[in-house]
Amino acid sequence: MSVGKAASRTPSVTAEDAEQVLAALADPTRRQLLELLGGSPGRSASALAGVVPVSRQAVAQHLALLEECSLVQRRRAGREVLFSVRPDRLAGVASWLDDRADAWRDRLETAEQTS
């Protein structure tokens, strides 16, 4: 397994954490919201609803789910609630996936050597 600088800086992620994040990312609207927030952090649900093909209420529900899995965070700015991406959570899941890929690669190489 490879351990790089990025892996040492990312928070540890369990299989359950990764499952929750990957399930959230399976929805195209949530992926679109993350892309929009990544390009322009600090946007409200109303502002996002003006860009995606769903209602403001649906956007709010999607954002709540993304917040539940720690992919976005909210902050208050006056009367508005603004959302932004938490890249550390994505980095943690990416590191978890890299670890799984390394483990599977090692197993495959071992199996091929014993065959």
Side-chain angles (χ1 to χ4, degrees):
M1 253 186 287
S2 65
V3 177
K5 286 196 296 185
S8 64
R9 288 182 284 170
T10 57
S12 107
V13 172
T14 66
E16 292 79 21
D17 294 335
E19 183 178 340
Q20 183 184 35
V21 168
L22 294 171
L25 294 175
D27 183 275
T29 301
R30 287 193 285 270
R31 288 194 309 272
Q32 184 179 10
L33 290 170
L34 283 173
E35 286 295 322
L36 291 167
L37 289 171
S40 178
R43 295 177 81 172
S44 68
S46 296
L48 291 165
V51 182
V52 295
V54 296
S55 69
R56 188 211 169 284
Q57 183 178 6
V59 167
Q61 289 174 346
H62 284 298
L63 290 170
L65 191 140
L66 291 170
E67 185 177 26
E68 187 178 308
C69 18
S70 301
L71 289 171
V72 299
Q73 62 189 5
R74 70 172 63 212
R75 69 176 169 84
R76 233 181 220 295
R79 296 174 65 185
E80 284 191 309
V81 176
L82 304 178
F83 292 87
S84 56
V85 174
R86 293 186 59 189
D88 58 323
R89 183 65 161 180
L90 287 173
V93 171
S95 178
W96 182 87
L97 287 169
D98 284 343
D99 290 347
R100 300 295 72 72
D102 288 345
W104 295 335
R105 192 175 302 106
D106 291 346
R107 285 185 208 145
L108 180 60
E109 288 173 2
T110 301
E112 287 174 347
Q113 291 172 356
T114 59
S115 297

